[in-house]
Amino acid sequence: MRGVFAFLLLFALLPFLPLGVWRAFLLDVGLFVLLFTALALSWDLVARTGQLSLAHGAFFGLGAYGTGLLLPHVGTLPALALGALLAGLGALLLGSVTLRLHGLYFAIASLAFSEVLRTLALKLPFTGGPIGLPVPPPFGGGLPLAGYYLAFAVLALAVALSLWAEKSPFRLAQAACRQSEAVARVLGVRVVRVKLLSLFLGSLVAGLSGGVYAMKALFLSPYEAFSLARAVEALVIPIFGGLYTTLGPLLGGVVLVGLEQALRLWIQEGYLVVYGALLVLAILFLPKGLLGLLGGRRG
């Protein structure tokens, strides 16, 4: 818990630290760390039930497009809330059809869901199609740090949901579903309801992340908003940091997103090759993630 709160305190105070000429760059990196760490926590919330979701890119895109389309008409906070609700409705639709599937079958179904939504975003006229959709800044651009603290609020919500799931009896229901659904049913766990609630809560956070991202980018493309890379990033960060915990995705988000942005700045051409190689090595030699490494050293 101390590590989680230290993380939140650091990022809450980051804009007030003496960052010098690196201030703008570090605040941008910090915003992306906040958003993609929240996305990773939302994926981990679903993974605790044993489901491998590749739909978080879809939830991210639904939140982004819902926010981008509504922002000029209803304002910043209502647009974010409605965009997240749209992502939640998408999760309920997906879950009601597919959550009785297991393992790779659910993963394939969730990936197909993402591809369907990307195709719709490319074809529907009100989304801007392949040309894309311009998005105004939050609060009309009058608050310079609005995007950063909106991203911080999304992460704080993700952390609160993760800690609730980690510390409440709901954790036991999730663990039972993950270990054996048949045994969980014998014990009285309503398996589909637990998995659907986890997917719904995770999708809300993913939708909020997408909405804040849209206001930061000021432009949306179906190829970017519904990218498979979003879903992959959402699952890689918890695996790297430590699964089924709150602190693991926080550590993974800081290291991986920070590393990606640093390599983008220093190498530019071919930085993804270096990033991918480092990631593969880390997963091979840190099977339990950063938390496993830190726990082993303390032991």
Side-chain angles (χ1 to χ4, degrees), residues 36 39 54 56-58 60 111 114-115 118 222-237 260 272 275:
F36 294 126
L39 184 65
L54 293 177
H56 273 63
F60 183 92
L111 178 60
S114 300
E115 290 303 308
R118 182 167 64 173
Y223 300 105
E224 175 71 15
F226 293 100
S227 170
L228 178 60
R230 293 282 167 262
V232 172
E233 194 160 23
L235 66 90
V236 166
I237 289 174
E260 180 183 3
L272 284 175
Y275 177 76

Side-chain angles (χ1 to χ4, degrees), residues 8-20 23 27 145 148-149 152:
L8 292 175
L9 181 62
L10 171 64
F11 277 87
L13 298 178
L14 183 63
F16 303 100
L17 298 179
L19 304 176
R23 175 181 169 80
L27 288 182
L145 291 175
Y148 182 88
Y149 280 107
F152 180 82

Side-chain angles (χ1 to χ4, degrees), residues 52-54 98 101-114:
L52 176 61
S53 170
L54 293 177
T98 64
L101 300 175
H102 306 281
L104 291 177
Y105 297 104
F106 175 76
I108 292 170
S110 62
L111 178 60
F113 178 72
S114 300

Side-chain angles (χ1 to χ4, degrees), residues 126-260:
F126 60 85
T127 63
I131 297 174
L133 179 73
V135 180
F139 304 107
L143 300 173
L145 291 175
Y148 182 88
Y149 280 107
L150 283 173
F152 180 82
V154 173
L155 179 65
L157 174 62
V159 167
L161 288 174
S162 179
L163 288 175
W164 167 76
E166 196 176 323
K167 304 298 181 182
S168 72
F170 190 65
R171 168 181 63 89
L172 301 177
Q174 287 185 311
C177 294
R178 184 171 71 248
Q179 297 296 329
S180 171
E181 290 189 10
V183 174
R185 288 190 179 93
V186 170
L187 294 173
V189 177
R190 298 185 176 183
V191 172
V192 174
R193 182 176 294 184
V194 169
K195 293 196 292 186
L196 190 59
L197 178 59
S198 300
L199 187 66
F200 177 72
L201 293 176
S203 70
L204 292 179
V205 174
L208 287 170
S209 299
V212 177
Y213 176 85
M215 291 187 287
K216 170 62 178 174
L218 303 179
F219 181 81
L220 286 175
S221 160
Y223 300 105
E224 175 71 15
F226 293 100
S227 170
L228 178 60
R230 293 282 167 262
V232 172
E233 194 160 23
L235 66 90
V236 166
I237 289 174
I239 291 172
F240 179 79
L243 286 169
Y244 316 138
T245 66
T246 300
L247 185 57
L250 294 178
L251 291 174
V254 170
V255 174
L256 288 184
V257 179
L259 177 63
E260 180 183 3

